[in-house]
């Protein structure tokens, strides 16, 4: 039996066109049955990595083994054991959902009976039984996504690759895709490699996360590990002006020796080990310097905070001013 | 898991045929244009067949190959259009991610294009029979006409698939079909070679392989089993197919390669 593992060593991809280095010396491993998330903003190199791992494009250098096979030397073998949902769905709009699934079954070597059976099963799983005999061209975005997901499951893949599977979906469709993926991972033991720009998605689903930015992995670990890397708590303070934020930042830096501070305009974020204890000190020091605080909170960090701290940018935000300790 | 090449080709050709049948406007206009050539030119121009250069030939049999070739080229052009659509809607990538043979992914739409033009050619010949067509070489002559149509269609399918795979762009593939006009009309389209006046058109007709296609078909339809005249059409097909299918193969290799 082939194992659903992924091994990537020193992977690099340079596109000749424009001489763009999309992936820079990336290494990671995914264990069998693990749910692994590749988290990063647009243009970080996520899709390029997926395309290399799934045999669509060749790496410039490095070694990639998927399902215990080298993707360059044995792409055909790799394709038998993986299921792939790319960012763009891959559906012939003139066929019905049922026809698409049966065709996919046929390509994977199922006979007619097996194909019908598997098609019905999958239609049920993605809740498309009622629309199965309608032309896919008339499906909604969410239905197409679900059909696309069903297509990737036809061969009961050992490893499922999903490139931003929920981008552009409404919350209810997103939730239902999350549920399928969780079930698939837990019940069938399918290894899942997912890329996403959504921190909550990676946090909710993944056993382990690699954060990729500018073609490099900048952090890797389980969600709790990543969270502890930046301290247990964070204190968020709101001020009335950017000038006050700046002053507060300097004061906290000098008097409390606070080094992990992120200036977000009228908001200041401070990463600390013991939030409640430090909160009192912060309030006292700022009060002594007569800097009025609009509001102040202690929170556990979210992945968004981690991302902000590591890459200096929040998802979809302008570059923040980061002071590293 | 996975199949042999033949099953992959069968599955993907079948799917291309389904796709074609579900978008009738991809082939109906082409069929109508071909019928239009047949009916309008026969009605409007048949008088000129009384000129001595026609040697008593029936104009219907003379113009039929024009209609057949126009249908063949149009039908084959559909192969390229099909591939471009697949690339645009992501279905091409979906196929590349399966163990399906790379050859079948490209051949599927081409074979469907061939079937399409076979059916169109049959329909046109049937209409011609209703209009009173007489075929000198009988049933086997019709087979020859069909074979030439398919062969010439294959050559053109290679060209259109090659353009599609090279450009991956619907407009470019569409623009590529413009070659249709010089191919059809810079030839012995309406009158025999001897009646072409302008020297440049004579030169063009001599170079244009379609001239030899017309000649082969007209020989079986009008003159009888004159082997050398018939063979020239097949030679033209062989040369054209070699060039265009090589072009399609090279473009396909690039399109499915992972460079």
């Amino acid at each position: 039996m082939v194992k659903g593992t992924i091994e990537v060593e020193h992977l690099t991809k340079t596109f000749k066109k424009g001489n763009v280095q999309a992936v820079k010396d990336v290494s990671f491993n995914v264990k069998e049955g693990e749910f692994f998330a590749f988290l990063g903003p647009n243009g970080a190199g996520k899709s390029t990595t997926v395309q290399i791992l799934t045999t669509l494009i060749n790496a410039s250098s490095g070694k990639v083994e998927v399902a215990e096979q080298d993707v360059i030397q044995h792409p055909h073998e790799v394709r038998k054991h993986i299921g792939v949902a790319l960012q763009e769905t891959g559906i012939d709009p003139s066929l019905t959902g049922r026809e698409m699934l049966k065709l996919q079954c046929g390509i994977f070597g199922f006979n007619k009976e097996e194909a019908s059976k598997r098609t019905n099963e999958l239609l049920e799983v993605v809740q498309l039984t009622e629309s199965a005999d309608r032309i896919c061209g008339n499906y909604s975005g969410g239905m197409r996504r679900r059909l696309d997901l069903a297509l990737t499951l036809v061969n009961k893949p050992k490893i499922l690759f999903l490139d931003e599977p929920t981008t552009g979906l409404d919350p209810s469709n997103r939730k239902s895709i999350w549920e399928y993926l969780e079930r698939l991972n837990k019940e069938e033991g399918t290894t899942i490699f997912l890329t996403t720009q959504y921190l909550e998605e990676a946090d909710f689903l993944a056993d382990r996360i690699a954060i990729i930015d500018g073609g490099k992995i900048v952090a890797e670990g389980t969600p709790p590990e990543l969270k502890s890397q930046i301290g247990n708590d964070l204190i968020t303070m709101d001020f009335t002006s950017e000038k006050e934020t700046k002053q507060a930042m300097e004061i906290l830096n000098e008097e409390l020796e606070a080094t992990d501070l992120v200036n977000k305009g009228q908001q200041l974020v401070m990463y600390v080990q013991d939030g409640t204890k430090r909160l009192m000190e912060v309030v006292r020091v700022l009060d002594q310097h007569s800097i009025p605080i609009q509001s102040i909170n202690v929170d556990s960090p979210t992945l968004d905070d981690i991302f902000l701290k590591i890459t200096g940018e929040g998802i979809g935000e302008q570059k923040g001013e980061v002071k590293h300790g | 898991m996975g199949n042999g090449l033949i099953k992959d080709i069968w599955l993907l050709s079948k799917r291309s045929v389904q796709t074609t049948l579900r978008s009738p406007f991809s082939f109906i206009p082409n069929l109508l244009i071909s019928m239009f050539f047949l009916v309008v030119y026969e009605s409007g121009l048949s008088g000129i067949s009384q000129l001595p250069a026609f040697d008593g030939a029936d104009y219907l049999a003379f113009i039929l190959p024009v209609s057949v070739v126009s249908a063949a080229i149009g039908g084959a052009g559909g192969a390229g259009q099909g591939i471009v659509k697949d690339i645009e809607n992501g279905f091409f990538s979906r196929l590349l991610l399966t163990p399906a043979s790379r050859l079948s992914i490209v051949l599927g739409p081409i074979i469907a294009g061939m079937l399409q033009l076979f059916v169109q050619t049959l329909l046109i010949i049937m209409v011609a029979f209703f209009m009173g067509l007489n075929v000198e070489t009988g049933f086997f002559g019709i087979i020859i006409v069909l074979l030439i149509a398919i062969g010439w269609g294959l050559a053109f399918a290679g060209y259109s698939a090659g353009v599609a795979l090279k450009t991956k762009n619907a407009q470019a593939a569409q623009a590529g079909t413009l070659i249709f006009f010089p191919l059809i009309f810079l030839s012995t389209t309406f009158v025999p070679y001897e009646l072409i006046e302008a020297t440049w058109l004579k030169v063009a007709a001599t170079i244009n392989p379609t001239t030899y296609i017309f000649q082969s078909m007209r020989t079986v339809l009008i003159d009888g089993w004159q082997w050398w005249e018939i063979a020239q059409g097949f030679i033209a097909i062989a040369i054209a197919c070699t060039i265009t299918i090589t072009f399609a193969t090279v473009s396909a290799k690039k399109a499915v390669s992972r460079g």
Side-chain angles (χ1 to χ4, degrees), chain A residues 13 54-58 71-72 75-76 79-80 84 89-95 99-100 103-104 106-110 135 148 151 155, chain B residues 1-3 7-8 11-12 14-15 18-20 22-23 86 88-91 93-102 256-259:
Chain A
K13 176 70 187 178
T54 59
T55 79
L56 271 183
I57 57 174
N58 277 340
V71 292
I72 306 222
H76 192 74
R79 289 178 196 129
K80 288 181 187 174
V84 188
T89 55
I91 290 170
D92 178 350
S94 62
L95 299 183
E99 286 165 345
M100 273 297 309
L103 174 65
Q104 185 85 352
I107 290 172
F108 276 101
F110 290 49
I135 301 285
D148 201 60
L151 288 167
N155 55 328
Chain B
M1 227 183 271
N3 306 299
K7 192 178 170 199
D8 283 345
L11 285 169
L12 294 178
K14 197 174 93 178
R15 170 254 149 189
Q18 269 175 327
T19 301
T20 308
R22 292 208 183 140
S23 46
D86 286 347
E88 284 180 346
N89 61 36
F91 186 69
S93 293
R94 149 93 42 238
L95 290 176
L96 290 180
L97 289 164
T98 67
S101 106
R102 312 291 99 170
V256 302
S257 90
R258 309 178 282 152

Side-chain angles (χ1 to χ4, degrees), chain A residues 125-251:
Chain A
V125 170
V126 296
Q127 294 163 23
L128 281 175
T129 308
E130 277 176 30
S131 324
D133 298 307
R134 275 171 50 200
I135 301 285
C136 314
N138 300 327
Y139 282 12
S140 69
M143 289 163 79
R144 270 176 210 238
R145 266 284 162 217
R146 268 146 51 204
L147 177 62
D148 201 60
L149 185 64
L151 288 167
T152 67
L153 300 178
V154 157
N155 55 328
K156 299 195 175 159
K158 285 268 163 197
I159 310 172
L160 192 58
F161 290 91
L162 301 152
D163 195 6
E164 301 195 14
T166 61
T167 300
L169 290 187
D170 60 47
S172 84
N173 270 311
R174 176 173 302 170
K175 253 280 153 26
S176 71
I177 294 226
W178 284 8
E179 281 164 16
Y180 303 141
L181 297 181
E182 244 196 337
R183 219 183 312 146
L184 203 66
N185 177 247
K186 296 269 161 358
E187 291 171 16
E188 312 266 331
T190 310
T191 307
I192 299 184
F193 181 98
L194 170 132
T195 77
T196 181
Q197 312 185 32
Y198 302 119
L199 299 145
E200 54 161 340
E201 186 160 281
D203 193 11
F204 181 81
L205 290 169
D207 300 324
R208 212 147 47 86
I209 298 169
I211 299 181
I212 181 166
D213 191 43
K216 281 188 200 152
I217 291 184
V218 291
E220 195 192 321
T222 62
E225 274 168 11
L226 286 176
K227 285 176 187 171
S228 70
Q229 269 186 27
I230 62 163
N232 289 325
D233 295 318
L234 51 99
I235 299 173
T236 310
M237 294 152 263
D238 287 310
F239 299 96
T240 44
S241 72
E242 291 186 15
K243 196 178 144 216
E244 283 170 356
T245 315
K246 221 166 178 183
Q247 284 174 340
M249 196 162 163
E250 280 160 16
I251 293 160

